[in-house]
């Protein structure tokens, strides 16, 4: 019977569509897990290399690219079970290798960037004192606070991915996360420190700042300010 055959085929296609949807969700979940694992692994490497207690086996200010690679590989096997469990699943060897390559390249690039910017101190996970905010208080954990050889301060927010979204925020003059961190670090006093996003997976510095971060290609849309103090003031007006 043709009608029965058609119904059977439709049922099969519906099951196939459901299966495809399930696979899509699984792929999306895995991609998110890989991003989290990658960020956590690199974040721990950053914490060890630039933390309050510098490692005995390397000094970032004098290390070259080859030495940084050896250092990352040395610490990778220890950190992987602690921070990268999704990457230890059977069949994920290629993903582990990819994240390791990204970790090596991003750590090399960060060190080169800091040397180029003449950074004298790089402090990970800075938690400024709480500041007042409309009858309450606000606090936060800043990925990295940088100080250059002139004594100027900047904020670096590390992201594993999301480059397009962060570029759009900067172009639209609304990098609110950077403005909040700058507000916290300034102690509510102007001028606010400069800020930038650093995309680990693509090794891209994204900023509107042309001074502290010495960007030859700052991101800014016509009529939009790259001043984080102005971004914060715009937010306050909306909040009111």
């Amino acid at each position: 019977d043709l009608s029965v055959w058609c119904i059977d085929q439709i049922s099969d296609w519906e099951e196939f569509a459901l299966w495809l949807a399930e696979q899509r969700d699984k792929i999306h979940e895995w991609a998110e897990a890989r991003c989290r694992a990658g960020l956590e692994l690199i974040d721990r490497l950053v914490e060890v290399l630039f933390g309050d207690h510098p490692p005995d086996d390397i000094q970032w200010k004098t290390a070259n690219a080859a030495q940084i690679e050896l250092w990352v590989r040395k610490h990778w096997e220890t950190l992987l079970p602690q921070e990268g469990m999704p990457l230890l699943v059977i069949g994920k060897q290629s993903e582990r290798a990819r994240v390791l390559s990204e970790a090596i390249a991003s750590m090399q690039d960060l060190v080169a960037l800091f040397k180029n910017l003449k950074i004298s101190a790089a402090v990970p996970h800075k938690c400024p004192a709480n500041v007042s905010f409309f009858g309450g208080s606000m606090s936060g954990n800043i990925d990295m606070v940088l100080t250059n050889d002139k004594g100027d301060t900047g904020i670096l927010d590390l992201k594993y991915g999301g480059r397009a979204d962060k570029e759009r925020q900067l172009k639209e003059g609304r990098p609110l996360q950077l403005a909040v961190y700058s507000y916290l670090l300034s102690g509510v006093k102007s001028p606010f420190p400069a800020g930038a996003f650093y995309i680990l997976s693509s090794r891209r510095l994204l900023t509107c700042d042309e001074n502290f971060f010495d960007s030859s290609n700052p991101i800014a849309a016509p009529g939009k300010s790259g001043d984080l103090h102005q971004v914060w003031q715009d937010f306050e007006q909306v909040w009111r």
Side-chain angles (χ1 to χ4, degrees):
D1 186 302
L2 181 60
S3 62
V4 173
W5 182 86
C6 289
I7 291 172
D8 288 343
Q9 293 303 305
I10 291 172
S11 177
D12 290 342
W13 277 109
E14 288 177 345
E15 291 178 7
F16 181 64
L18 289 172
W19 179 83
L20 280 179
E22 290 175 359
Q23 300 312 305
R24 180 197 59 201
D25 291 343
K26 288 180 180 178
I27 292 172
H28 181 68
E29 289 173 4
W30 161 246
E32 288 187 341
R34 186 175 78 87
C35 286
R36 285 195 300 272
L39 178 59
E40 288 168 2
L41 280 162
I42 298 174
D43 186 64
R44 284 289 290 118
L45 289 168
V46 166
E47 187 175 7
V48 173
L49 186 61
F50 301 103
D52 293 334
H53 304 288
D56 297 328
D57 52 351
I58 194 171
Q59 297 295 320
W60 69 266
K61 292 180 182 179
T62 57
N64 58 36
Q67 291 170 328
I68 293 169
E69 178 177 355
L70 289 174
W71 182 83
V72 171
R73 290 186 181 278
K74 173 184 175 182
H75 289 268
W76 186 256
E77 296 304 320
T78 301
L79 293 176
L80 194 57
Q82 300 173 7
E83 310 291 348
M85 286 302 294
L87 299 172
L88 291 175
V89 176
I90 295 174
K92 299 301 180 183
Q93 292 90 336
S94 61
E95 293 294 334
R96 287 201 299 273
R98 181 186 305 176
V99 175
L100 173 57
S101 295
E102 290 171 345
I104 292 170
S106 60
M107 293 299 289
Q108 290 172 330
D109 193 65
L110 275 175
V111 169
L113 173 67
F114 292 171
K115 290 178 180 179
N116 183 58
L117 296 177
K118 296 180 173 58
I119 298 300
S120 57
V123 180
H125 298 299
K126 177 76 172 181
C127 295
N130 289 10
V131 298
S132 60
F133 179 71
F134 288 97
S137 64
M138 179 182 290
S139 62
N141 187 330
I142 303 172
D143 284 347
M144 297 202 78
V145 175
L146 311 177
T147 304
N148 63 21
D149 59 358
K150 297 179 182 178
D152 298 325
T153 303
I155 292 165
L156 194 63
D157 189 35
L158 304 179
K159 301 294 183 186
Y160 187 77
R163 174 180 170 182
D165 177 58
K166 298 310 174 188
E167 286 181 337
R168 182 169 58 253
Q169 289 182 23
L170 291 166
K171 288 177 180 177
E172 294 175 356
R174 55 178 186 86
L176 184 57
Q177 188 172 13
L178 293 181
V180 169
Y181 288 159
S182 190
Y183 174 76
L184 291 172
L185 194 61
S186 72
V188 202
K189 298 177 181 178
S190 183
F192 282 17
F197 297 111
Y198 183 83
I199 311 301
L200 295 162
S201 57
S202 57
R203 298 177 297 285
R204 293 285 296 181
L205 180 73
L206 307 178
T207 184
C208 292
D209 177 72
E210 301 179 59
N211 299 311
F212 183 91
F213 287 100
D214 192 26
S215 176
S216 59
N217 188 27
I219 297 173
K224 296 292 184 181
S225 170
D227 178 24
L228 294 178
H229 188 199
Q230 182 62 53
V231 175
W232 177 257
Q233 288 182 325
D234 292 344
F235 169 68
E236 284 187 320
Q237 290 300 317
V238 173
W239 187 269
R240 291 175 197 275

